[in-house]
Amino acid sequence: MRKPRSHSPDGVPDLPAMPGWVGGGAVEAIETAAFRSGAALAHLQVLAADPALPLALLRDRLALAAAEVCVGAAGRREGQAALRDALHLTKPGDDSGPAGRILRLWSQAVTRPVSVGGLAKVLEGVPADRIASSLDAGGATPVGRAAVALESVLTDSPRGETAALVLADAVLSHSLGWDHLVPLISVALRPRALRLRGDELRLACHRAVAEGAGQAVALAADLARRAVRMRAAAPKLRAKGAARAVELFLARDAVAPAALAREVQGSMSDRAARRLCDRLVDLGALRELTGRDTFRLYGL
């Protein structure tokens, strides 16, 4: 696979944007939609080969976007900020609430390699044999196979939107030869499309993949630039456990200082974790995501 090699003088990768024709205008013919979704996936596949791109972080941030869609489909109104709070500010062992559980499910799904066993651990209510048959299903296109998996779960469990979308994106990723689930259908499929069946649902999935891949490409370009700044700042850090902290920030959408201290247990106190986060903000390598003075969350 050819790797993109264009970089700016300061070492920041210049990842090419998705061609405008891929997502431009409404598409009614399924053949045209399939061509566009295929082109979008091919473009994303090339970008994913760039070593500057923090793929784990891209997946986790797309998981946040997918969770927001699923929360909306369930009739709830929590946005991304509320979802982050529900997941990251809930004490270990406490219930993070419906929204937090949806984000936790997505975060676990994109972290585990795509496999029957891995998906069975996060998809409650979806039998392992259903997961296995979906991952091994044949079909003309990866998107078509994903649409079949989506329809199958929704037919048996009309209220199981989140599990259905996770499985659909898992089938898509598996069909493309990717080791981990990349949320694409889920970040762009309209909730009303979950009521469609047959060719109408397949058309909606092709449209969603083209749009979702476009979102992923734009996000990838932004994260690649931010990752360069984080890696450049790493040698300036003197705190014990700083190397592990940098690894976490390059892999997770958001990190609370308390969680950071737990991850590097024995090397960093809560106060030291907060100081490290603020130091990275001062260096321009990290953002504080909440805008609050307390209960802060940090991420690229």
Side-chain angles (χ1 to χ4, degrees):
M1 180 182 298
R2 180 178 59 85
K3 295 185 179 182
R5 296 180 180 178
S6 178
H7 289 73
S8 64
D10 59 358
V12 177
D14 184 17
L15 302 185
M18 184 77 74
W21 61 266
V22 171
V27 177
E28 298 301 329
I30 195 166
E31 294 81 4
T32 304
F35 178 77
R36 290 188 175 184
S37 67
L41 290 170
H43 187 82
L44 180 59
Q45 184 93 330
V46 172
L47 296 193
D50 194 305
L53 178 61
L55 282 172
L57 176 56
L58 175 64
R59 292 192 295 265
D60 204 35
R61 196 147 286 178
L62 287 171
L64 175 66
E68 184 179 24
V69 170
C70 291
V71 165
R76 305 184 65 86
R77 296 188 177 183
E78 286 91 343
Q80 293 189 4
L83 284 167
R84 280 176 172 143
D85 282 355
L87 178 61
H88 296 289
L89 300 182
T90 300
K91 294 180 180 179
D94 288 353
D95 184 5
S96 57
R101 289 195 294 272
I102 288 175
L103 179 54
R104 186 179 301 280
L105 187 156
W106 271 108
S107 295
Q108 291 175 344
V110 301
T111 301
R112 303 171 186 270
V114 175
S115 67
V116 175
L119 290 168
K121 291 178 181 178
V122 298
L123 294 181
E124 294 183 5
V126 182
D129 59 350
R130 167 68 57 79
I131 297 172
S133 62
S134 297
L135 291 178
D136 293 336
T141 67
V143 179
R145 291 193 283 274
V148 170
L150 178 63
E151 181 172 354
S152 178
V153 176
L154 289 174
T155 299
D156 290 347
S157 180
R159 300 297 297 274
E161 298 97 340
T162 298
L165 286 167
V166 170
L167 183 59
D169 269 322
V171 170
L172 176 64
S173 300
H174 181 72
S175 299
L176 292 168
W178 296 346
D179 293 333
H180 288 75
L181 187 160
V182 179
L184 294 177
I185 294 174
S186 306
V187 301
L189 193 69
R190 305 296 184 267
R192 62 180 177 274
L194 295 170
R195 297 191 293 271
L196 302 175
R197 296 294 182 267
D199 284 347
E200 289 185 327
L201 179 59
R202 192 154 55 100
L203 175 60
C205 286
H206 279 295
R207 289 171 172 168
V209 166
E211 182 180 340
Q215 293 182 33
V217 166
L219 179 58
D222 179 60
L223 292 179
R225 290 190 293 268
R226 295 180 183 278
V228 168
R229 291 196 288 269
M230 173 60 76
R231 294 182 182 114
K236 302 175 184 178
L237 305 175
R238 297 291 179 264
K240 292 180 64 178
R244 174 58 179 155
V246 169
E247 290 177 0
L248 290 173
F249 287 123
L250 288 171
R252 296 186 186 176
D253 163 63
V255 179
L260 177 58
R262 288 195 298 270
E263 289 282 352
V264 291
Q265 188 175 13
S267 300
M268 187 176 295
S269 66
D270 286 7
R271 179 177 295 180
R274 289 193 296 271
R275 287 200 303 266
L276 176 62
C277 291
D278 290 337
R279 170 65 172 153
L280 285 167
V281 171
D282 292 340
L283 291 171
L286 199 63
R287 293 181 296 157
E288 199 288 307
L289 301 172
T290 69
R292 297 187 295 249
D293 292 333
T294 58
F295 300 107
R296 291 181 157 191
L297 297 173
Y298 296 83
L300 260 65

